[in-house]
Amino acid sequence: MGEGGGGWRALKEEYGGLVKPDIVFFGEDLPPRFFRLSLQDMQECDLLLVMGTSLAVHPFAGIMHLVGEDVPRLLLNREKVADCEPELVRAYLEAGKAPKGFVFDGEHRRRDVFHPGDCDNSVRELCQLLGWEEDLDALIAADRDGVRAGAGAGAGAGAGAGAGVRAGAGAGAVAEPGGAPGPSREAPCSSSSSEGED
């Protein structure tokens, strides 16, 4: 957007304000609603989809541990993240504790599945398998139409909360958050991390 920050100033001048997508940027505090609802939502979860993340920033990275031990967890990502090493899995189990992280390989794998690839393509493939591709296309079209409608009418303070958000992120989505009170911590058992997020 130009050298020295002039690009955002030009956009502000042209459109009368700035629009922030309805996401949490790295370094921002998560909304109180996140803390209020995450435990409740995860206790009701019967399938956890994790996608497009390094799972390296807490408290968001810890959500995957709040689902029941019998709940399947599917990671749709370019690379494995939070993959607990087999030796560490054994140590957790010998201590009578659940492993912290995904268990994708080995004799102790029970519920975790890794599907490598780009998030958009992986979600489309999942929707095809479930017979939901028409629904997905309708959601994407509605999102595009909503963004176009909001962009034409002074994209300043009154433009929709999700304006400019890529299809799939959705209103209220939380994108690799950070900034929760206290310092960020690496996820336990993480053997790799991702620099480029989806």
Side-chain angles (χ1 to χ4, degrees):
M1 293 293 320
E3 297 294 318
W8 71 266
R9 288 184 181 92
L11 287 172
K12 181 179 178 188
E13 184 67 30
E14 182 175 345
Y15 294 106
L18 298 177
V19 175
K20 180 188 178 290
D22 192 14
I23 62 171
V24 176
F25 286 110
F26 186 86
E28 292 182 328
D29 288 339
L30 290 165
R33 183 174 192 269
F34 169 86
F35 297 99
R36 193 173 61 248
L37 296 177
S38 58
L39 181 59
Q40 174 186 333
D41 289 346
M42 292 302 104
Q43 288 175 343
E44 295 174 11
C45 179
D46 55 6
L47 169 64
L48 181 65
L49 299 175
V50 180
M51 62 182 75
T53 180
S54 65
L55 282 181
V57 181
H58 285 264
F60 187 78
I63 292 175
M64 64 181 275
H65 302 296
L66 298 178
V67 298
E69 289 190 29
D70 60 336
V71 173
R73 302 181 303 187
L74 172 60
L75 175 65
L76 305 171
N77 218 27
R78 291 182 180 145
E79 59 190 30
K80 290 180 182 178
V81 294
D83 187 11
C84 203
E85 299 295 331
E87 298 79 28
L88 201 48
V89 171
R90 277 193 287 283
Y92 273 114
L93 295 174
E94 288 172 6
K97 298 184 179 196
K100 299 291 183 189
F102 287 115
V103 181
F104 293 122
D105 303 305
E107 62 188 284
H108 300 292
R109 177 180 165 219
R110 299 182 309 114
R111 64 178 180 156
D112 296 331
V113 177
F114 172 61
H115 180 81
D118 173 87
C119 288
D120 290 346
N121 294 335
S122 296
V123 168
R124 178 159 300 280
E125 185 178 339
L126 181 61
C127 287
Q128 287 170 342
L129 291 169
L130 294 169
W132 297 348
E133 191 169 21
E134 285 183 25
D135 295 327
L136 176 65
D137 290 337
L139 286 170
I140 291 170
D143 185 58
R144 284 184 185 142
D145 292 344
V147 169
R148 283 188 200 115
V165 177
R166 183 171 55 101
V174 179
E176 194 60 28
S184 298
R185 300 179 306 274
E186 286 294 312
C189 298
S190 181
S191 62
S192 65
S193 65
S194 173
E195 292 299 317
E197 305 299 323
D198 272 352

